[in-house]
Amino acid sequence: EAGVAQSPRYKIIEKRQSVAFWCNPISGHATLYWYQQILGQGPKLLIQFQNNGVVDDSQLPKDRFSAERLKGVDSTLKIQPAKLEDSAVYLCASSSPGVAWYGYTFGSGTRLTVV
Amino acid sequence: KQEVTQIPAALSVPEGENLVLNCSFTDSAIYNLQWFRQDPGKGLTSLLLIQSSQREQTSGRLNASLDKSSGRSTLYIAASQPGDSATYLCAVRGPQGNDYKLSFGAGTTVTVRA
């Protein structure tokens, strides 16, 4: 089966600019997650979708971050305006909802550097 | 709230030595535990998934054990190779509200010296 696809792989932007990341989950996986991983730390959940609805966005900085999942498949995560502390790897993952014994599958991530 | 701790934070061993990576978690009400590998600046590759009812999982040179009652898991890598150099992350999946969430440790960074 195809894995979780993410793009771009790398992005360098100046602070106050905006940036968008794209994710295509595994076919049939209704649950999609965006994680932020700052260097030296474990990934932190930003937002969770089930189909095209938001399940959990409690840790999403909503003043600058937004995410959508139209049609319950692909998802985009946007940062506007970016700050230096947003430099991190942004990971997308998918899993089957309601099936706790399935593992998560992660994409290759997007490495964002804000200068 | 689930807290996941990985010790040590970094490990350097000569090639051929066995690796032992530890993971502990505070809430034993988990559904499964997953070990991931991460190369610098890259995404996560799943290595082993252990269900809460299982005691261990094996894949090639990798073996992971789970003691749910004591909140511990150990990842063993036999006969380490320079290609095993990476960060290894432990994550537990447990109930949070009406869903099952993944909680990560900060990882153990492994260097295998040739």
Side-chain angles (χ1 to χ4, degrees):
Chain A
E1 87 186 339
V4 176
Q6 287 190 249
S7 67
R9 291 297 310 277
Y10 306 93
K11 191 75 176 178
I12 301 174
I13 62 172
E14 295 182 351
K15 59 183 179 182
R16 292 187 290 275
Q17 285 187 323
S18 53
V19 64
F21 313 127
W22 173 84
C23 173
N24 180 251
I26 289 176
S27 177
H29 279 191
T31 308
L32 184 148
Y33 312 83
W34 283 102
Y35 284 82
Q36 179 193 57
Q37 185 181 23
I38 293 171
L39 185 66
Q41 300 180 16
K44 181 186 83 171
L45 179 67
L46 290 176
I47 189 167
Q48 176 185 349
F49 292 94
Q50 184 157 325
N51 296 308
N52 59 350
V54 175
V55 174
D56 183 355
D57 63 356
S58 57
Q59 299 194 79
L60 186 73
K62 298 182 185 64
D63 58 333
R64 298 183 301 105
F65 286 64
S66 65
E68 62 181 8
R69 190 182 184 197
L70 301 176
K71 302 180 182 178
V73 181
D74 293 6
S75 176
T76 56
L77 175 69
K78 297 179 182 177
I79 307 174
Q80 181 180 10
K83 293 185 175 181
L84 295 177
E85 59 261 36
D86 298 331
S87 295
V89 177
Y90 290 84
L91 299 162
C92 179
S94 69
S95 70
S96 291
V99 185
W101 54 87
Y102 281 10
Y104 285 36
T105 302
F106 281 81
S108 299
T110 295
R111 185 173 189 177
L112 174 67
T113 303
V114 183
V115 299
Chain B
K1 182 189 172 190
Q2 181 75 268
E3 301 286 344
V4 182
T5 303
Q6 291 188 246
I7 295 173
L11 188 59
S12 178
V13 299
E15 182 177 3
E17 194 165 298
N18 296 332
L19 288 163
V20 180
L21 310 180
N22 297 301
C23 171
S24 62
F25 45 96
T26 55
D27 187 346
S28 62
I30 67 168
Y31 286 93
N32 58 43
L33 182 146
Q34 203 165 355
W35 282 95
F36 294 91
R37 170 185 170 136
Q38 186 175 35
D39 292 294
K42 302 292 179 61
L44 276 61
T45 300
S46 181
L47 297 174
L48 291 167
L49 172 67
I50 311 175
Q51 304 301 339
S52 61
S53 58
Q54 297 176 318
R55 297 285 292 183
E56 66 176 347
Q57 278 286 342
T58 299
S59 176
R61 294 184 294 112
L62 276 59
N63 173 277
S65 66
L66 173 64
D67 184 341
K68 197 175 86 160
S69 60
S70 67
R72 295 178 189 276
S73 177
T74 302
L75 177 66
Y76 301 90
I77 303 177
S80 62
Q81 304 168 359
D84 295 329
S85 298
T87 296
Y88 293 83
L89 292 158
C90 165
V92 296
R93 191 172 188 184
Q96 291 184 32
N98 59 356
D99 193 17
Y100 317 107
K101 296 291 176 67
L102 205 61
S103 301
F104 281 90
T108 294
T109 299
V110 172
T111 302
V112 181
R113 308 185 303 272

